[in-house]
Amino acid sequence: PGKGAAHSSGWAGGGGHGGKGGQGYFGAAGIVCGATTNPLLPGSGGGSWNAAYPRNRGGCGGGLVRIETPGSVTVDGALTANGTFGNYAAGGGAGGGILLQCGAFGGGASGQIRASGGNGDSAGAPSVSGGGGGGRIAVNYASLAGTPAVQFTAAPGTGFNTSPPGARRVAQYGTLAFPTAGLLPNEVANLTGTLSGEVRRLRADVARLREELSRKGAAAPEFLAAASRSVPSVVERAEPSPSGPV
C-alpha cells in the first residue's frame, strides 16, 4: 500500500512502510502503512522508471519475518528484512516487517535485527530518486534472558531530491516496538536523531537554568541535582516517532 510512485521520466519515489519513502524528482513518496506493535506487512516497493525493463525497476520492499513461540528466541546472528536499492532512475524499496512473539528474548552483541530501506538511484544527481523508508520491528516478549545486546535498526535508504530543497523529501526512519524499556539501551545506542537530540536539549536546559540561578544568586542545588538525574530517564519513557529518526 505504500509503493513509491513511478514516473515515465524517471527519478521515482521510494517505498514507504514504518517511515515514509523519499520523494523523487518526479515520483511521489510512498506513504506510511502497517502497524507498529504488530507488523504484518512486508515493505512496499520503490517506484520504477519503466517497469518493462529490469534495469529501470524500483527496489523491492523487504519481506515479512514472523516468529511465534511460547519458548525462548535467541538472536546471535542476523535477522533481516531489508528493502533493495532502486535500479536506474528508480526508487528504493522500504524496509520490511519483523515480528517476534516469545516467552523470553535474548542474544549477544553479534545479534542484529534489521529492516532498513533500500537506496534510491542517484542517476542524474543532484536530482535523484527517493530512498525507501525504514520498516517495522516489534519484539513482544514476556521476559528477557539476561541482558540482551542485540542491535536493532530500521533506517531509511538514501536518496535526496534537492530541487527544490526540503528535509521532508528525505525517506524517514521506521519503527521499533518493545513491551518494556529493557531493550532501550541497545536501541538508543543506534539512534542519532529524535531521542538523543531530545536528551541533549533537556541537558542544555538544565545547564542554562543552573547558570541563570547562579547569576541571580539563587541557590537551588537539590532541585538542579534532581533535574540532572531525571534527564537520562527521559530516554526510557520516550517513544520513537514514525515521522522522525528511530
Side-chain angles (χ1 to χ4, degrees):
K3 183 175 176 58
H7 199 281
S8 59
S9 297
W11 297 320
H17 187 196
K20 182 176 69 68
Q23 175 77 32
Y25 184 74
F26 289 120
I31 63 172
V32 172
C33 55
T36 301
T37 59
N38 190 38
L40 295 174
L41 293 177
S44 301
S48 301
W49 174 14
N50 187 337
Y53 298 95
R55 68 183 298 267
N56 300 142
R57 291 174 184 168
C60 298
L64 173 65
V65 177
R66 183 177 181 181
I67 299 175
E68 296 188 30
T69 175
S72 300
V73 170
T74 302
V75 180
D76 286 323
L79 188 61
T80 64
N82 296 328
T84 63
F85 65 89
N87 290 286
Y88 187 76
I98 298 179
L99 173 61
L100 304 183
Q101 306 262 21
C102 56
F105 176 79
S110 60
Q112 299 182 30
I113 298 180
R114 303 191 298 265
S116 298
N119 296 339
D121 186 62
S122 60
S127 298
V128 299
S129 300
R136 293 191 185 275
I137 299 172
V139 184
N140 300 321
Y141 51 82
S143 64
L144 293 175
T147 304
V150 179
Q151 303 296 302
F152 301 87
T153 180
T158 61
F160 181 64
N161 176 15
T162 60
S163 182
R168 287 178 296 180
R169 296 177 174 272
V170 181
Q172 296 175 342
Y173 280 73
T175 59
L176 307 177
F178 313 115
T180 71
L183 290 176
L184 281 179
N186 303 313
E187 175 194 1
V188 172
N190 287 287
L191 292 176
T192 57
T194 302
L195 293 185
S196 59
E198 186 69 8
V199 171
R200 284 195 299 269
R201 183 187 67 78
L202 290 170
R203 285 177 176 154
D205 288 345
V206 171
R208 283 194 296 270
L209 178 58
R210 181 184 287 112
E211 183 180 353
E212 182 178 350
L213 289 173
S214 177
R215 286 199 308 268
K216 294 180 178 180
E222 293 183 3
F223 166 75
L224 290 177
S228 298
R229 288 195 301 269
S230 69
V231 168
S233 67
V234 171
V235 176
E236 295 188 2
R237 294 196 302 270
E239 293 184 1
S241 167
S243 62
V246 172

